[in-house]
Amino acid sequence: MKNILIYSILCFIAVLPVSAQKFYKDAINITNASLWQQGESLYINMQIDMRNLKVSNDRTLTLTPVLAGPNNNVALPEIVINGRRRQKAYLRAMALDKTTNMEIPYNTEEVLTYTQIVPYESWMENAHLDLEENLCGCGGHQEVLTQEMIMNGVSTEAKRLAALRPTSSFIQPKAEVVKARSEQYEAHLDFPVGKSVILPDFMNNQTELRNIREMFNKIQNDKKLTVTGVYIDGFASPEGPLKLNEQLSKSRAEALKKYLSTQEQIPTKLYNVSFGGENWEGLVQALEISNLKEKTEFLHIIRNTSDIALRKEEIKRVGGGIPYRTMLKELYPALRKVNCRIDYTIANFKVDEGKEIIKTQPQYLSLNEMYLVANSYPKGSDDFISVFDIAVRMYPNDEVANLNAAAVALSKKDLTDARKYLDKSNKQTAEYANNNGVYNLLSGNTAQAISEFTKAAQNGNEDARHNLAEIEKVMNMKRE
């Protein structure tokens, strides 16, 4: 006969409580059932109220808790309730049989706190707890009434860790004293050979000039912006004498300055003109993406011949000069360009202003202004999250923007985006270590998460200290 477990100590009814369930003709109530894994042990706990139970004089009711899985079953110590006459016979048998290890059955006038500890095995993660009810009578009569489920689901350390909501860290970006920005346009103006006068109706000049004017007008007409400088840099294609090309690149830049100063309302003193001379860098880039068979030979000459005049002669001789003539026609025109850049400053905005501007002109806000706007909303709200998503789109290579975007992604348990943003963050900060710890915890790598949190905590990160404390609660959580 199995030993009968009878515990009078109070035990902690942990997570996964089950409201009162009725068993055996609704005469037995089971409450506060739990299956709790801690370390290498599984704790089974429940309270069994049998005060309404009546067992016939000659009958014995045996209740056997069973831990059941898809391919495994473990029968736990049973509880025996005897009828009045069966109880007397039981006591006589116990008195006569000195070798039998028998215990007094459960007294139904009390509420039993049933606790059992068994070695934990991996299959138990998805196990459920059943109650097998057997009723026996005189003459060896036995009737198996039923096996009913008490509860389903084991609270494992892994599940409890996964249920944690670790705290991610944010960094407040530094405020910009002056919000300096710039817009640049690469104008491919067409000039007659050897000329530097801008002819608006010549070839594609009308379109190019219109694009430049639109850039100027957008900035000039926005009262939030103040122009601080206009920079024009001219280039020439590398055919013909070097000195002539240098002069052409300069005079073409001056021509654009003259044209713009008469068209736009920007003071002449804000213009800065320079010349880049022959556009060899542009030629290299054009060759690298071209389909010319001789491009490798051309690139070798450009990169290994420092004498410009000799370089031009060698280029002309490749393939008898035919490839060079192709370059003159297909690649060289785009090298005769003028770069135009407008520098400007943006006004600073208060939070209420920023909340409106971010909807239509987010590029006007600094990262610090976006951070303040985000934190004017409840943390974790849709508006809070949206601002940090906008920030990383506006500043895709900024380490702080990426760190904060990673924190938002982690709050949504979006591990793919979180990893992408973390990889573009400053890995030397305590905030990165904490957020990397959150990433590892959500990925199921608890040991690495603890290591990262510890590193961050040692560097003063309060979020990491909180996360470590939460993990410790789970790892050391005992059933009282």
Side-chain angles (χ1 to χ4, degrees):
M1 179 178 183
K2 292 182 181 178
N3 288 343
I4 303 165
L5 280 183
I6 303 177
Y7 291 95
S8 59
I9 61 171
L10 292 176
C11 62
F12 174 61
I13 309 303
V15 178
L16 301 176
V18 175
S19 57
Q21 291 178 277
K22 294 184 180 296
F23 296 84
Y24 187 69
K25 303 177 183 179
D26 294 340
I28 298 173
N29 284 340
I30 294 181
T31 57
N32 296 322
S34 68
L35 297 172
W36 181 275
Q37 176 259 328
Q38 190 76 39
E40 297 181 354
S41 299
L42 178 66
Y43 297 81
I44 300 99
N45 192 73
M46 57 185 157
Q47 288 184 315
I48 307 174
D49 185 350
M50 293 178 283
R51 288 174 292 183
N52 295 323
L53 176 65
K54 303 297 181 184
V55 178
S56 300
N57 282 337
D58 297 322
R59 293 292 183 96
T60 295
L61 177 64
T62 303
L63 303 177
T64 307
V66 178
L67 189 65
N71 301 304
N72 303 82
N73 285 283
V74 174
L76 302 172
E78 61 193 23
I79 303 164
V80 176
I81 304 98
N82 287 323
R84 186 180 299 275
R85 279 196 289 269
R86 287 296 294 265
Q87 176 69 0
K88 291 179 180 179
Y90 179 84
L91 293 174
R92 287 196 299 272
M94 188 177 67
L96 294 173
D97 190 350
K98 304 298 183 182
T99 62
T100 303
N101 182 20
M102 305 178 85
E103 298 182 25
I104 298 174
Y106 176 67
N107 184 345
T108 59
E109 294 179 358
E110 299 177 7
V111 176
L112 171 65
T113 298
Y114 183 97
T115 299
Q116 176 68 5
I117 303 172
V118 299
Y120 179 75
E121 299 177 24
S122 58
W123 67 268
M124 295 178 181
E125 179 181 0
N126 299 308
H128 51 89
L129 183 63
D130 296 344
L131 184 66
E132 185 179 280
E133 305 162 358
N134 291 279
L135 187 64
C136 301
C138 295
H141 173 75
Q142 181 169 337
E143 178 185 355
V144 178
L145 294 180
T146 187
Q147 182 167 322
E148 300 180 79
M149 181 184 292
I150 299 173
M151 68 166 299
N152 187 27
V154 177
S155 176
T156 64
E157 288 180 0
K159 291 177 182 177
R160 296 194 295 274
L161 286 169
L164 288 178
R165 296 183 64 85
T167 303
S168 301
S169 295
F170 291 82
I171 294 178
Q172 181 168 357
K174 293 180 180 179
E176 293 182 66
V177 178
V178 177
K179 290 159 58 180
R181 302 290 186 271
S182 66
E183 301 245 357
Q184 182 163 315
Y185 185 76
E186 185 176 283
H188 293 280
L189 297 169
D190 292 304
F191 294 90
V193 177
K195 302 294 183 180
S196 58
V197 177
I198 293 178
L199 302 177
D201 296 325
F202 182 69
M203 298 183 71
N204 197 46
N205 285 351
Q206 194 172 61
T207 299
E208 292 293 295
L209 292 171
R210 183 178 64 248
N211 291 337
I212 295 174
R213 286 198 302 271
E214 287 177 355
M215 179 178 73
F216 272 71
N217 290 337
K218 182 184 71 173
I219 295 171
Q220 284 183 278
N221 296 333
D222 194 326
K223 294 181 180 180
K224 305 180 190 72
L225 311 182
T226 301
V227 176
T228 58
V230 179
Y231 296 83
I232 300 173
D233 197 8
F235 295 88
S237 54
E239 82 272 21
L242 174 61
K243 287 186 178 181
L244 174 61
N245 287 332
E246 289 177 343
Q247 181 59 41
L248 280 174
S249 69
K250 182 177 182 179
S251 58
R252 286 170 179 173
E254 290 284 359
L256 181 59
K257 172 191 171 182
K258 182 178 179 180
Y259 175 84
L260 292 174
S261 61
T262 60
Q263 299 287 322
E264 311 298 335
Q265 302 301 314
I266 295 177
T268 305
K269 65 181 181 179
L270 294 180
Y271 283 88
N272 299 272
V273 176
S274 60
F275 65 96
E278 295 182 335
N279 193 3
W280 289 102
E281 182 180 348
L283 179 56
V284 167
Q285 293 172 353
L287 282 168
E288 287 176 337
I289 62 174
S290 75
N291 295 319
L292 283 175
K293 293 188 299 182
E294 299 81 6
K295 71 177 183 179
T296 301
E297 190 173 352
F298 283 134
L299 289 170
H300 178 78
I301 293 171
I302 294 171
R303 289 166 176 161
N304 294 280
T305 308
S306 57
D307 185 287
I308 300 299
L310 180 59
R311 179 192 299 175
K312 291 179 180 179
E313 290 302 316
E314 290 186 8
I315 287 175
K316 290 178 181 178
R317 287 197 292 266
V318 172
I322 296 176
Y324 173 69
R325 288 192 289 274
T326 300
M327 280 205 303
L328 284 177
K329 180 180 178 181
E330 297 181 359
L331 304 185
Y332 275 46
L335 304 180
R336 305 168 195 134
K337 65 175 185 176
V338 180
N339 288 342
C340 184
R341 188 185 86 233
I342 305 178
D343 288 357
Y344 55 91
T345 58
I346 307 175
N348 293 318
F349 303 107
K350 296 179 180 179
V351 171
D352 288 343
E353 294 173 310
K355 291 170 79 167
E356 294 303 316
I357 291 170
I358 199 168
K359 297 174 184 176
T360 56
Q361 296 172 306
Q363 69 275 16
Y364 286 0
L365 295 178
S366 69
L367 276 175
N368 181 66
E369 288 170 331
M370 289 185 182
Y371 181 90
L372 296 175
V373 168
N375 282 278
S376 70
Y377 298 111
K379 190 170 184 179
S381 65
D382 289 345
D383 288 326
F384 177 89
I385 290 171
S386 175
V387 174
F388 286 111
D389 287 340
I390 292 171
V392 79
R393 290 203 302 272
M394 293 294 101
Y395 301 89
N397 297 313
D398 186 272
E399 293 179 332
V400 173
N402 278 279
L403 186 284
N404 291 340
V408 166
L410 289 168
S411 72
K412 298 186 292 186
K413 296 188 176 182
D414 184 345
L415 298 184
T416 300
D417 275 356
R419 186 71 266 162
K420 177 181 68 176
Y421 295 134
L422 283 171
D423 288 343
K424 296 178 72 174
S425 304
N426 183 352
K427 297 177 176 56
Q428 305 307 312
T429 65
E431 290 81 5
Y432 170 84
N434 176 69
N435 290 358
N436 201 34
V438 174
Y439 174 85
N440 278 281
L441 184 63
L442 296 178
S443 300
N445 191 347
T446 305
Q448 185 61 35
I450 292 173
S451 174
E452 293 290 334
F453 289 144
T454 301
K455 185 194 308 180
Q458 289 172 346
N459 285 285
N461 186 275
E462 291 299 325
D463 295 324
R465 292 193 178 106
H466 168 78
N467 292 332
L468 282 172
E470 291 300 301
I471 291 176
E472 187 175 2
K473 285 180 186 177
V474 170
M475 301 296 284
N476 297 326
M477 195 178 289
K478 298 296 184 182
R479 297 167 65 252
E480 301 172 354

